[in-house]
Amino acid sequence: MAPTVIPFGPQHPVLPEPLHLQITVVDEVVTEVLPKLGFVHRGLENLVLKRDIHQMVQVVERVCGICSCIHAHTYCMALEELMDVQVPPRANYLRVIWGELHRIHSHLLWLGLLADAFGFESLFMQCWKIREKIMDVQEATSGNRVIVSVNVVGGVRRELTPDQCTWILEILEEVEKDILEIKQVFIDDFSVQKRTRGVGILSREDAYESGAVGPTLRGSGVAQDVRQSGYGAYADLDFQPVTETDGDSYSRAKVRFREVLQSIDLVRQAISKLPQGESRVKVKGWPEGETISRTEQPRGELMYYIRADGTKHLERMRIRTPTFANIPGMLKMLPGVDLANIPVAVLSIDPCISCTER
Amino acid sequence: MIERIKRSELMSRVWEMKNMGYRLVTMSSVDNGEDIEYIYHFDKDLDMVNFAISVPHGENPESISGIYGSALLVENEIQDHFGVSFTGLALDFNGAFFLEDEVHRAPFCAMSIKRLESNAEGGE
C-alpha cells in the first residue's frame, strides 16, 4: 500500500495540547513522523528585558501551569547563586514539600489522561478524584490550586504551620490508600496492559542518545534524576530514582505511578525533618554574571541558563523544558506503532506544549 | 563554568563529548550585538560541561545535528528566533519550526534581521 500522510493535532480528541505531527503510515503502521510547533508560542524568555528579576518569578511560574512551583524554584536557585544568597534551610524544605506535591498532582493528572486515552473512563475519573485532594492542599497552603506562587529570590513567601503539616500528612495517608487501591487496576489489569505494553518502545540507548529526560528516560532503564544532585533539601532525604526497563508506554506509566508513592514518602520525610527558623532572607542589589540551574520537574530535567549584567533586568534567560528534550525520543519511538496506538505513545512522554513553547 | 572556545574547535569538541558518552542537554544562544554566542550544554551522570562559540552576525554557524541528532530541534528553534541558518542541519524547517512562513522578524535579536533571502521583500 502507498504511504499515507495523516495530520495529528494541533487539535486532537486525546491530546489537550496543540502539538502537530505529520505522520506517514503504511498499512496503518507509522513509518515517519515530523513535528511542528509554535501554535501557542508566547516568548516568555524575552520578557526578561521588560520585567525586573523579582517580577520574573511570577512570569516563570506561568511557563507551565502544572509545574509552576518548580519553574520558580529553578529560576530562584539560579539568581541566588549569582547573588551569593544563602537560602535558609527551612525554605529549602518547604520548596521540596510544594515541589513534590506538584509532582503528585501532575502524575495523577497524567495517569488519568492516559486512562482516558485508552478509553478507561472510570479509571480516568478515579485518578482525577484522588488528585483533587492534593489540589485542596495546594489551595489551602498557597492560595491557588494550580499556580503555587510560593518562591521568591531568597526563600519562600508562604509558611506551613504545624497544624497544616499534620493535615497534609493525613491527606497523604488518604491519597496513598486510594493510590494503592487503583494500583490493582493500573498496574495489573489486563486491559491496561493490552493497550500500553509494547507500545512506543524506546530502547535504553535511544533514550540516552536522543537526550530524553525524566520518566521517559527512566522508563527505559536509565537511573538519572536531577534530585540525585541534592539541590534544595534533597541531599538530606532518602531518595533513589525509580526505573523500569521495558522502555514502552506501560513502563513509563509504571515509573510515574511509583513516583507518586515516592513523592508521598519525600513529603513525609521533609515534614518530619522540617527545620525551625526563617524561611526567607532579604535580597539586595542586582545579579551579575552567568549561571545554569537544573531541577527535576514531573516530566524530567528542567534547565535555566541566566546571564545578568548587574541591572534589574536580566540580559538573557533561556529555558530548556523537559518536553522539548523528550520530543526527539518520541520521534524515535513512533515508527512501528499502529495508527490506533499513536495517542497512547504520544501521551506516554507526558507532553506539555505550554512548557515547550514558553 | 562556561568555557569560551574557538569556532574552529567546535566540531572536535562536540565529537569528544559524544565519544565520552555525554548527553546533549541543549544549546543556548545570546545576541551580543556584534555577534551571536552559541552555548553547548552536555551532561554525563549529572556532571555538566558547557562551552561556547561566537559567530558574527551574518555568518552561518555549523550544525552539530550530524553528531547529536537531537540538536536539530534546538537548532531549528534558534534559526526561528535569531534569524540565522545552520549549515549542515539534518532537518531544516527553514525558519518555520516555531514561526509561520509569513513571519519575517527574528524576535530574539536585539536588532531584527531578515531570515531568508526569499523573505527579503517583506523583511525588516
Side-chain angles (χ1 to χ4, degrees), chain A residues 34-38 41 43 45-46 208-213 224-226 228-229 290-292 294 301 303 305 307 316 318 320 324 327-328 356-358, chain B residues 1-2 4 18 21 23 25-30 32 37 39 41 43-46 48 50 70 73-74 77 81-82 91 93 96-100 107-108:
Chain A
L34 278 178
K36 173 81 174 82
L37 295 167
H41 195 273
E45 287 179 359
N46 230 15
Y208 192 78
E209 175 76 23
S210 65
V213 294
Q224 183 161 319
D225 188 313
V226 183
Q228 290 169 290
S229 67
E290 62 183 350
T291 190
I292 293 161
R294 288 194 295 170
E301 174 196 69
M303 191 205 92
Y305 165 73
R307 185 184 289 186
R316 176 81 168 108
R318 154 90 175 130
R320 202 304 312 278
F324 195 88
I327 288 176
T356 306
E357 308 239 337
R358 332 178 272 295
Chain B
M1 188 179 195
I2 297 175
R4 266 65 194 184
K18 176 87 171 177
R23 167 177 67 91
V25 176
T26 195
M27 288 167 59
S28 302
S29 42
V30 185
N32 288 332
E37 194 168 33
I39 307 166
H41 310 279
D43 170 278
K44 186 181 177 186
D45 300 329
L46 299 175
M48 275 195 103
N50 309 281
S70 58
L73 287 188
V74 67
E77 181 186 45
H81 289 166
F82 288 84
L91 177 63
F93 287 84
F97 182 57
F98 269 103
L99 304 180
E100 292 302 318
F108 278 69

Side-chain angles (χ1 to χ4, degrees), chain A residues 25-81:
Chain A
V25 294
V26 176
D27 289 340
E28 297 204 355
V29 175
V30 177
T31 57
E32 191 182 79
V33 186
L34 278 178
K36 173 81 174 82
L37 295 167
F39 298 99
V40 289
H41 195 273
R42 294 165 290 165
L44 293 181
E45 287 179 359
N46 230 15
L47 269 182
V48 293
L49 303 174
K50 296 175 183 171
R51 300 282 180 265
D52 74 36
I53 59 165
H54 300 292
Q55 292 171 324
M56 279 307 294
V57 178
Q58 275 72 51
V59 173
V60 298
E61 281 168 352
R62 282 148 183 83
V63 170
C64 175
I66 306 301
C67 38
S68 54
C69 170
I70 302 176
H71 268 284
H73 185 179
T74 320
Y75 171 82
C76 290
M77 273 169 50
L79 287 187
E80 285 152 7
E81 188 185 323

Side-chain angles (χ1 to χ4, degrees), chain A residues 22-314:
Chain A
Q22 184 181 302
I23 297 174
T24 307
V25 294
V26 176
D27 289 340
E28 297 204 355
V29 175
V30 177
T31 57
E32 191 182 79
V33 186
L34 278 178
K36 173 81 174 82
L37 295 167
F39 298 99
V40 289
H41 195 273
R42 294 165 290 165
L44 293 181
E45 287 179 359
N46 230 15
L47 269 182
V48 293
L49 303 174
K50 296 175 183 171
R51 300 282 180 265
D52 74 36
I53 59 165
H54 300 292
Q55 292 171 324
M56 279 307 294
V57 178
Q58 275 72 51
V59 173
V60 298
E61 281 168 352
R62 282 148 183 83
V63 170
C64 175
I66 306 301
C67 38
S68 54
C69 170
I70 302 176
H71 268 284
H73 185 179
T74 320
Y75 171 82
C76 290
M77 273 169 50
L79 287 187
E80 285 152 7
E81 188 185 323
L82 280 182
M83 300 169 82
D84 201 19
V85 173
Q86 292 298 318
V87 176
R90 185 176 174 84
N92 277 326
Y93 275 77
L94 291 171
R95 284 174 172 180
V96 164
I97 292 169
W98 275 301
E100 291 305 320
L101 288 170
H102 251 59
R103 197 178 316 278
I104 297 170
H105 101 76
S106 175
H107 281 356
L108 284 169
L109 177 120
W110 179 83
L111 288 163
L113 289 174
L114 181 73
D116 182 52
F118 54 68
F120 206 148
E121 293 300 318
S122 58
L123 187 57
F124 155 65
M125 284 185 270
Q126 287 295 329
C127 290
W128 280 36
K129 181 184 161 195
I130 302 168
R131 175 178 174 257
E132 277 304 305
K133 293 178 181 176
I134 302 296
M135 305 303 281
D136 287 345
V137 171
Q138 292 188 166
E139 185 175 14
T141 57
S142 76
N144 278 323
R145 278 166 55 84
V146 177
I147 304 289
V148 174
S149 185
V150 291
N151 287 286
V152 289
V153 182
V156 291
R157 61 191 181 91
R158 290 265 185 176
E159 262 296 348
L160 285 182
T161 64
D163 285 347
Q164 281 178 318
C165 288
T166 307
W167 176 64
I168 291 171
L169 292 173
E170 287 168 6
I171 293 288
L172 288 180
E173 202 164 324
E174 287 176 29
V175 169
E176 187 179 43
K177 184 171 162 283
D178 294 343
I179 292 282
L180 291 173
E181 274 180 16
I182 64 164
K183 179 174 181 283
Q184 292 173 357
V185 183
F186 229 114
I187 304 299
D188 303 330
D189 189 81
F190 167 79
S191 57
V192 175
Q193 293 190 36
K194 179 80 176 164
R195 289 302 310 274
T196 54
R197 261 193 192 278
V199 174
I201 296 173
L202 187 64
S203 69
R204 181 189 171 92
E205 293 71 29
D206 281 348
Y208 192 78
E209 175 76 23
S210 65
V213 294
T216 306
L217 180 67
R218 295 193 286 276
S220 294
V222 181
Q224 183 161 319
D225 188 313
V226 183
R227 287 175 288 178
Q228 290 169 290
S229 67
Y231 71 86
Y234 287 107
D236 303 333
L237 306 178
D238 184 21
F239 167 78
Q240 286 297 323
V242 172
T243 57
E244 294 286 341
T245 52
D246 290 343
D248 56 7
S249 299
Y250 182 62
S251 269
R252 293 186 277 279
K254 278 205 291 186
V255 167
R256 292 192 181 93
F257 198 95
R258 289 172 56 200
E259 283 189 354
V260 174
L261 296 169
Q262 182 185 55
S263 292
I264 291 173
D265 178 53
L266 285 169
V267 176
R268 281 177 179 150
Q269 287 187 53
I271 287 178
S272 70
K273 295 178 178 176
L274 187 60
Q276 296 301 315
E278 295 293 313
S279 55
R280 179 180 184 177
V281 291
K282 279 192 177 177
V283 175
K284 289 181 180 172
W286 307 111
E288 189 165 9
E290 62 183 350
T291 190
I292 293 161
S293 173
R294 288 194 295 170
T295 56
E296 187 74 15
Q297 266 192 342
R299 293 166 183 80
E301 174 196 69
L302 169 69
M303 191 205 92
Y304 274 61
Y305 165 73
I306 283 177
R307 185 184 289 186
D309 57 3
T311 65
K312 67 178 183 177
H313 294 125
L314 296 176

